């Protein structure tokens, strides 16, 4: 059982929050000049709303603070020559759609200090009182960086990026290249910005397809009830031991992946937290290997994802065995994990343009048992923790941070910096779910350095 707060979901009173003071800020531009041009977003970029994603890396010792920041800035300027979209800005085109202006404006880079605080004392498992101060709020451009030094000589490197420009897979490529540049190591393979790999084929027959069932034009989204209260959410980061992951997968039955097994458990926990609701559960599926089995999309920089989902009433979920829930998850994930679906999704978006669209998984579609609660699971298992070494060793801890303003929960499992198959799980969800998760005798444990 996790012991974080006496009342799970209660707001921290500020007594345990770390104090972070900004010490320096500048904009880091690419080391070489760039011919300004516009790069249209692909149809799979256009399904993403204007939201930012955060990620942070904790280092037990980063040497001299000024020297470390200088190394990071110099390496950033160098790698932005190759990853120039991250140095641009998202603007509206004549049709009102977002597109990328590759202007070379650069990346906002802030330096900060957590005076008198030891990094090991920071309660990373409670992001609302800690990580919120360590991951920058992006004010302009596509990406921003904050480096925070601690009394012990440790440091946290936090990044925020615009999800419309790239997904986590793409940003991982950038992180590895940035770290390699900081170490003076050979540069990894360059990214590809070839959007023709996701060009539409036809827009004549998109109604009734799986894409039409998973996404919806924004104008067709029903408004919330006039009495609906704004959604509340809390953020947590948990540690899950490799043995618990293995036991969970074994309980979910043969042929089930770790992510499917974890999603099934989370779905059942939602049913306990919201016994009078339907529960909608979605999973983000990466499509690179599905669109191009030959590996042509491996270096592709951008978004290549879809979000299938399922809806089951809480009463039925509580009566289902974990293996049966995992089988249902596997069914609708497998249906979307095909090249044909991604091709039809590209065509479907083309048929809707320029109207924006949204994934139905975020909307909480009910099934007759009352209002639905929604959650989306996004695998962060490709987070390259061991490769984000800027010259002072690998991170002692790392996690995504995604406190988005939507009403649906968002959960991201990722590899622990400890290795050995352990997980770190970032959770942005309603207090009711977090309470149930923390009442579990196993699986979810307090995250710490």
């Amino acid at each position: 059982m996790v012991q974080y707060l006496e009342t799970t979901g209660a707001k921290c009173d500020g007594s345990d929050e770390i104090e972070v003071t900004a010490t320096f800020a500048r904009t880091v531009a690419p080391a070489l000049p760039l011919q300004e041009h516009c790069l249209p977003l692909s149809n799979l970029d256009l399904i993403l709303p204007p939201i930012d994603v955060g990620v942070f890396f904790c280092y037990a010792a980063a040497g001299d603070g000024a020297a470390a920041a200088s190394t990071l800035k110099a390496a950033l300027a160098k790698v932005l020559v190759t990853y120039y979209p991250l140095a641009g800005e998202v603007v509206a085109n004549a049709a009102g759609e977002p597109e990328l202006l590759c202007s070379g404006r650069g990346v906002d880079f802030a330096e900060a200090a957590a005076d008198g605080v030891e990094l090991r004392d920071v309660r990373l498992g409670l992001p609302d009182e800690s990580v919120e101060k360590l991951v920058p709020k992006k004010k302009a451009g596509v990406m921003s960086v904050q480096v925070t030094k601690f009394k012990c000589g440790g440091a946290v490197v936090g990044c925020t990026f615009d999800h419309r420009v790239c997904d986590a897979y793409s940003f991982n490529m950038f992180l590895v290249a940035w770290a390699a540049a900081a170490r003076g190591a050979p540069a990894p393979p360059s990214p590809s910005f070839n959007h023709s790999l996701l060009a539409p084929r036809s827009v004549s027959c998109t109604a009734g397809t799986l894409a039409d069932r998973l996404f919806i034009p924004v104008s067709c989204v029903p408004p919330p009830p006039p009495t609906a209260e704004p959604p509340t959410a809390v953020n947590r980061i948990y540690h899950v031991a490799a043995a618990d992951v293995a036991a969970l997968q074994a309980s979910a039955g043969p042929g089930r992946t770790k992510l499917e097994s974890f999603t099934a458990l989370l779905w059942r926990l939602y049913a306990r937290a919201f016994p009078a609701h339907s529960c909608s559960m979605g999973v983000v599926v990466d499509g690179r290997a599905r669109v191009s089995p030959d590996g042509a999309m491996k270096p592709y920089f951008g978004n290549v994802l879809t979000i299938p989902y399922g809806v089951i009433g809480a009463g039925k979920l509580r009566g289902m065995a974990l293996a049966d829930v995992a089988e249902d998850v596997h069914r609708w994930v497998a249906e979307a994990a095909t090249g044909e679906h991604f091709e039809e999704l590209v065509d479907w978006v083309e048929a809707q343009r320029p109207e924006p669209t949204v994934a139905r998984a975020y909307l909480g579609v009910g099934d007759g048992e009352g209002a639905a609660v929604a959650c989306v699971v996004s695998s962060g298992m490709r987070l390259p923790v061991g490769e984000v070494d800027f010259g002072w060793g690998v991170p002692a801890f790392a996690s995504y941070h995604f406190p988005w303003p939507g009403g649906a929960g968002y959960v991201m499992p990722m590899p622990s910096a400890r290795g050995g198959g352990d997980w770190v799980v970032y959770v942005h969800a309603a207090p009711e779910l977090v309470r149930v998760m923390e009442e579990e005798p196993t699986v979810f444990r307090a995250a710490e350095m």
Side-chain angles (χ1 to χ4, degrees):
M1 180 180 294
V2 179
Q3 296 294 334
Y4 271 142
L5 297 174
E6 291 183 4
T7 303
T8 300
K11 294 294 183 183
C12 298
D13 61 10
S15 59
D16 293 315
E17 293 188 15
I18 61 173
E19 293 296 329
V20 175
T21 304
T23 58
F24 182 79
R26 63 165 289 190
T27 299
V28 177
L32 297 176
L34 174 70
Q35 179 69 41
E36 182 173 295
H37 64 283
C38 286
L39 182 65
L41 299 183
S42 78
N43 281 8
L44 296 187
D45 294 324
L46 293 175
I47 64 175
L48 274 299
I51 52 175
D52 295 332
V53 179
V55 62
F56 67 97
F57 302 87
C58 303
Y59 299 88
D64 177 76
S70 295
T71 297
L72 288 172
K73 286 182 282 191
L76 179 60
K78 181 178 180 180
V79 79
L80 286 176
V81 174
T82 302
Y83 285 86
Y84 60 87
L86 293 175
E89 48 198 319
V90 177
V91 298
N93 62 18
E97 295 178 312
E99 67 178 11
L100 187 60
L101 175 61
C102 299
S103 60
R105 77 166 294 277
V107 169
D108 291 342
F109 190 107
E111 297 175 46
D115 297 324
V117 179
E118 301 277 348
L119 182 53
R120 65 174 178 268
D121 294 332
V122 177
R123 298 205 295 179
L124 296 170
L126 295 171
D128 295 326
E129 72 175 40
S130 57
V131 179
E132 276 289 304
K133 308 286 186 69
L134 304 173
V135 176
K137 298 289 190 297
K138 185 174 66 62
K139 298 177 181 178
V142 172
M143 172 189 167
S144 60
V145 176
Q146 178 179 314
V147 180
T148 306
K149 286 290 294 180
F150 287 79
K151 174 184 176 181
C152 57
V156 173
V157 178
C159 304
T160 301
F161 64 93
D162 191 324
H163 203 341
R164 294 173 295 179
V165 174
C166 67
D167 53 19
Y169 178 103
S170 304
F171 199 73
N172 289 345
M173 294 193 297
F174 160 77
L175 288 169
V176 172
W178 185 18
R183 298 193 310 272
S190 296
S192 168
F193 306 107
N194 182 11
H195 288 176
S196 66
L197 295 169
L198 297 174
R201 304 166 302 171
S202 169
V203 298
S204 59
C205 185
T206 59
T209 61
L210 178 59
D212 198 42
R213 304 203 310 269
L214 298 185
F215 294 85
I216 184 173
V218 169
S219 64
C220 297
V221 175
T227 58
E229 297 182 0
T232 59
V234 294
N235 299 285
R236 293 287 189 271
I237 299 178
Y238 300 110
H239 172 257
V240 180
D244 288 331
V245 175
L248 183 61
Q249 185 177 21
S251 299
R256 299 296 166 252
T257 67
K258 291 181 175 68
L259 187 68
E260 290 170 344
S261 307
F262 174 80
T263 302
L265 171 66
L266 187 65
W267 207 356
R268 294 180 72 199
L269 293 178
Y270 257 97
R272 284 170 50 189
F274 297 95
H277 293 68
S278 297
C279 302
S280 171
M281 184 62 64
V283 173
V284 176
V285 175
D286 180 84
R288 284 170 174 79
R290 282 86 181 184
V291 174
S292 297
D294 60 358
M297 291 206 72
K298 185 176 180 179
Y300 179 79
F301 186 93
N303 288 287
V304 192
L305 55 84
T306 187
I307 312 178
Y309 69 100
V311 183
I312 300 178
K316 181 177 180 181
L317 268 173
R318 291 195 302 275
M320 294 173 66
L322 181 69
D324 294 331
V325 181
E327 181 179 3
D328 195 74
V329 173
H330 174 79
R331 175 183 58 79
W332 42 260
V333 167
E335 183 182 19
T338 68
E340 179 183 359
H341 167 62
F342 280 92
E343 290 174 348
E344 75 179 17
L345 179 55
V346 170
D347 294 344
W348 182 88
V349 175
E350 187 70 17
Q352 315 306 319
R353 295 179 63 182
E355 181 174 359
T357 60
V358 65
R360 295 178 188 263
Y362 293 126
L363 303 180
V365 181
D367 71 343
E369 275 197 38
V373 291
C375 180
V376 171
V377 176
S378 179
S379 172
M381 299 309 295
R382 290 195 179 104
L383 183 66
V385 180
E387 298 179 76
V388 189
D389 175 2
F390 294 104
W392 48 76
V394 299
F397 189 88
S399 176
Y400 288 101
H401 181 56
F402 188 55
W404 80 306
Y410 207 89
V411 177
M412 295 187 72
M414 66 206 83
S416 169
R418 299 178 182 180
D422 288 4
W423 284 8
V424 165
V425 179
Y426 171 80
V427 175
H428 172 82
E432 293 90 340
L433 175 72
V434 172
R435 183 177 294 109
V436 168
M437 294 177 75
E438 294 181 359
E439 289 172 351
E440 281 285 291
T442 60
V443 184
F444 301 103
R445 306 176 190 274
E448 56 188 20
M449 287 275 290

